[in-house]
């Protein structure tokens, strides 16, 4: 057992998940525990260290075999310095995560944001395995993205590459305000939040839809209604898919990736969503730019974050 | 004089321009001659070889110092193979340029399309010198683009990265057909062709504009009219600039370059154009993604093609 392994940390507001991967990105072992957000960064970072050591102790590997540790964190990060500038869901400001964890654990530590890490996980060992140039969308509360070029995360100049949720894509006449301060961002229509909003608005307008019977509409309710043929729900999913497909058409003539990988809760809508995304993508993309390009669901689910974090020391 | 030099070829339909660059991209010497398109590819490639040898003979360098030769060619290319699949303006189909020139000249030869080569020229030794991540727009008959990542041309999966003229950006209600088969491409509004079309349409609609006095409107007539305060001309340039600025906003959240370089004939409109591009870019781009990002005119003019071609063997 002389092989090297890579340890990944998915740092969420309520749980810390840790996992060990081999050099091909196969997830060998996982564990998790409470984050302890309420006790502040010192305790949270100590928890990470403890969960990481315990994971390795209980594995078939030794601590010496751990080549590096990566962590995915939601927030504004200084990635080269390994510094959390601001993380609203952890309540952190200016926490030198890399420095503290390297002191605690004696291994090289890298951090990156959650969407980039999920993209790297899929690229390394998921739906993008073996493909050099990939663009990943994560459709959750917002729309996150990650750009993988030559198998590595591409950060751009300010670490803002892959902020796909903030492509302005909805025409002015239909555009609504986005949390980022602009209007008409992809995230306003193609996130779970956008889908829920469109569902509620349709009910408020008095549309004839089974969604009117749902107490507190969630994205899944819209998918379920669509699967029974509810026209309002189908129109909402079609609209979310149309802007996703159009945004991919744009991405294709900018960086021409070979594959789009779509994950996150909204991607669970399945074929109804993917068929429509592909239709609009084909319609809107120049023929040569779409040759050989496919749009596929993510396959790692919640493990993408751990796997991608583990991969940061190889491909960050 | 033991330094290496790089030879660039700008292969146009009427003239072949050749130039020698040092390792920093400084253009040392140039020459040009007729393409001889009417005599077919064999003669054209022999002309390139002759102009290249003559350039070096007349320079302070020896043929042994030439480290590599690059050529920029408009058309559909197989870049890794150095093969011209189709070049409408040369009337070529399936011409193995790299193979033939390497046989004739005994040096490594690389080819790339004209927009990528111009982008590389500006990145290497022009408005982007010293900056790693750049996106270049060339506003001519069409809108070309080139993506420079870590100082090198980024091709994408099918060589279609940087086809910025085919970003679909004009809302459906105002979109017109593009030569590529889609509607609403950036090229339909922000190219010289688009500006001329908008000028002619304004005259046909009977707008009160000095353009009505121009026999055959060219893009320069629209710029000149705008500079005298002609409202129609100002509106046209503003519209071309608005979609350029919006497209840069999108590019910023996809790959977050540090600098946009804008060249080609339309960029000669100067401050009227650039001020408006910057205004719309600032309005439409998420704050963090635009931090430290600037939008500047290209500076190499017609030499960008030779310089970038020369650079292909270093940064292609």
């Amino acid at each position: 057992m002389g092989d090297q392994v890579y340890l990944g940390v998915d740092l969420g507001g309520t749980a810390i998940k840790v996992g060990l991967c081999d050099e091909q990105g196969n997830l060998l072992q996982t564990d998790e525990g409470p984050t302890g957000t309420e006790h502040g960064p010192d305790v949270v970072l100590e928890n990470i260290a403890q969960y990481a050591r315990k994971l390795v102790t209980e594995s078939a590997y030794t601590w010496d075999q751990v080549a590096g540790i990566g962590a995915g964190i939601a927030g504004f990060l200084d990635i080269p310095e390994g510094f959390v500038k601001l993380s609203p869901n952890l309540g952190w400001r200016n926490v030198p995560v890399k420095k503290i964890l390297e002191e605690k654990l004696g291994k090289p530590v890298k951090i990156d944001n959650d969407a980039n890490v999920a993209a790297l996980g899929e690229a390394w060992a998921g739906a993008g395995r073996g493909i050099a140039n990939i663009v990943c969308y994560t459709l959750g509360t917002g729309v996150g993205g990650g750009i993988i070029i030559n198998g590595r995360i591409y950060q751009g100049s300010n670490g803002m590459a892959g902020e796909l949720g903030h492509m302005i894509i909805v025409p002015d006449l239909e555009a609504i305000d986005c949390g980022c301060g602009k209007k008409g961002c992809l995230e306003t229509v193609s996130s779970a939040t956008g889908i829920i909003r469109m569902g509620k608005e349709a009910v408020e307008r008095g549309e004839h839809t089974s969604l009117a019977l749902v107490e507190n509409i969630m994205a899944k309710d819209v998918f379920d209604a669509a699967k029974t043929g509810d026209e309002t729900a189908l129109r909402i999913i079609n609209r979310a898919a149309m802007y996703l497909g159009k945004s991919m058409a744009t991405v294709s003539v900018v960086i021409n990736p070979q594959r789009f990988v779509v994950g996150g809760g909204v991607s669970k809508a399945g074929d109804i969503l993917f068929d429509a995304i592909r239709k609009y993508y084909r319609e809107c993309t120049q023929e040569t730019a779409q040759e050989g390009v496919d749009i596929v669901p993510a396959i790692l689910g919640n493990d993408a974050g751990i796997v991608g974090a583990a991969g940061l020391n190889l491909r960050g």
Side-chain angles (χ1 to χ4, degrees), chain A residues 38-58:
Chain A
E38 66 280 13
H39 303 300
D42 289 349
V43 172
V44 173
L45 292 168
E46 182 55 31
N47 285 343
I48 291 176
Q50 287 186 12
Y51 302 157
R53 288 199 181 274
K54 173 164 170 279
L55 177 76
V56 176
T57 303
E58 294 176 353

Side-chain angles (χ1 to χ4, degrees), chain A residues 209-211 221-231 233-234 237 272:
Chain A
T209 164
S210 61
L211 294 171
D221 299 315
V222 181
F223 309 152
D224 289 345
K227 282 169 194 164
T228 67
D230 184 279
E231 285 189 15
L234 284 167
I237 291 176
I272 293 182

Side-chain angles (χ1 to χ4, degrees), chain A residues 36 144 188 277:
Chain A
T188 63
I277 294 174

Side-chain angles (χ1 to χ4, degrees), chain A residues 176-226:
Chain A
I176 66 162
D177 290 339
C178 179
C180 77
K182 306 297 174 189
K183 283 172 79 113
C185 293
L186 180 63
E187 178 162 305
T188 63
V189 280
S190 302
S191 63
T193 315
I195 288 169
I196 291 166
R197 178 185 52 77
M198 292 188 278
K200 287 182 176 169
E201 285 172 359
V203 171
E204 281 163 18
R205 272 196 308 270
E207 284 191 31
H208 180 72
T209 164
S210 61
L211 294 171
L213 307 173
V214 180
E215 182 96 26
N216 187 18
I217 297 174
M218 304 299 283
K220 186 173 183 304
D221 299 315
V222 181
F223 309 152
D224 289 345

